[in-house]
Amino acid sequence: CMASAAPINIDLVNWSFELPTPGPQFVRDFSTIPGWDLLQGDAGLWNHAASGATDGTTTLFLGTPSGSRPTGVVIQLLTHLISTNDQFELSFDLWSWSMGTGVRAALVYMMDPATPVPFAIEEFVASAPGVGGSERYTLTSDLPIPVTAVGKMLGIMFTAVNTDDKEDEYTDLDSVTLSVTPGEIPEPATMTLLAIGTAGLLKRRRK
């Protein structure tokens, strides 16, 4: 008989996008921002009453393309190793100044040190506009785990998106959480039967 596993919260570093010590209004130096790495574009922390922070005092801001500046993309690699039957739930608060902006939220694994590959969750979410207008979004994995992802380290990647094609727009994130539900696991009685069966096979082979 198989038992359903309970969801397990995955520890994220700096899930609320805070600085170790109080900093300026805008921080774009990711060497000072724990947990997160900038892949490209304009991104950083915004420390302001109008930032829409839902935990602490700062949010992560991501910039859409502007001139030669590429889209803002950030990533965090986690210690969780991906298994075949993992099911994920990703939640975050999102807010922006205007309609049409948002993020593409994705779970990723690293094909090589420089190439994150989305899997399980990859979805565009339009942000709620207006000061103090943060909304919470929850995404669940609905794609099968590819064989190439099994055993790889899990990561979270956020990419700025602007469907209105306006330049120099921003969207803000806060309070990111992630949980995983492992695939069904054998109950103790089933494990005992499996062990007895394996022992019997080994005994026959010795004869």
Side-chain angles (χ1 to χ4, degrees):
C1 184
M2 306 294 282
S4 297
I8 301 168
N9 290 327
I10 296 176
D11 290 332
L12 307 182
V13 177
N14 199 15
W15 55 272
S16 62
F17 303 107
E18 305 299 324
L19 290 169
T21 57
Q25 183 175 352
F26 294 100
V27 177
R28 286 178 164 86
D29 181 2
F30 271 75
S31 68
T32 67
I33 300 173
W36 299 90
D37 292 309
L38 177 67
L39 292 186
Q40 67 174 39
D42 186 21
L45 299 191
W46 185 20
N47 180 11
H48 191 270
S51 68
T54 55
D55 184 273
T57 61
T58 58
T59 60
L60 171 75
F61 68 83
L62 291 168
T64 60
S66 178
S68 61
R69 183 187 75 193
T71 298
V73 183
V74 299
I75 192 170
Q76 180 171 152
L77 295 181
L78 308 166
T79 57
H80 178 81
L81 298 181
I82 301 163
S83 297
T84 303
N85 296 316
D86 281 350
Q87 297 177 356
F88 298 97
E89 183 175 281
L90 174 64
S91 299
F92 51 89
D93 294 329
L94 190 63
W95 171 90
S96 78
W97 285 101
S98 61
M99 296 293 289
T101 58
V103 296
R104 178 165 287 104
L107 297 184
V108 300
Y109 66 94
M110 302 303 290
M111 181 63 73
D112 57 56
T115 309
V117 180
F119 80 104
I121 292 175
E122 185 182 16
E123 187 171 337
F124 166 69
V125 178
S127 55
V131 175
S134 295
E135 289 188 12
R136 188 142 189 93
Y137 299 87
T138 296
L139 309 178
T140 56
S141 55
D142 56 3
L143 300 174
I145 305 296
V147 174
T148 50
V150 175
K152 301 285 200 315
M153 290 178 63
L154 175 67
I156 302 175
M157 185 168 70
F158 291 107
T159 303
V161 177
N162 192 335
T163 59
D164 290 340
D165 296 324
K166 295 178 183 177
E167 290 194 348
D168 207 23
E169 294 287 337
Y170 290 88
T171 191
D172 291 75
L173 290 107
D174 204 7
S175 302
V176 180
T177 61
L178 178 65
S179 66
V180 58
T181 303
E184 291 184 333
I185 57 175
E187 291 183 340
T190 305
M191 291 297 290
T192 301
L193 290 173
L194 287 172
I196 292 171
T198 303
L201 286 172
L202 291 173
K203 198 170 183 181
R204 290 192 195 99
R205 285 178 183 173
R206 289 195 190 101
K207 291 179 178 180

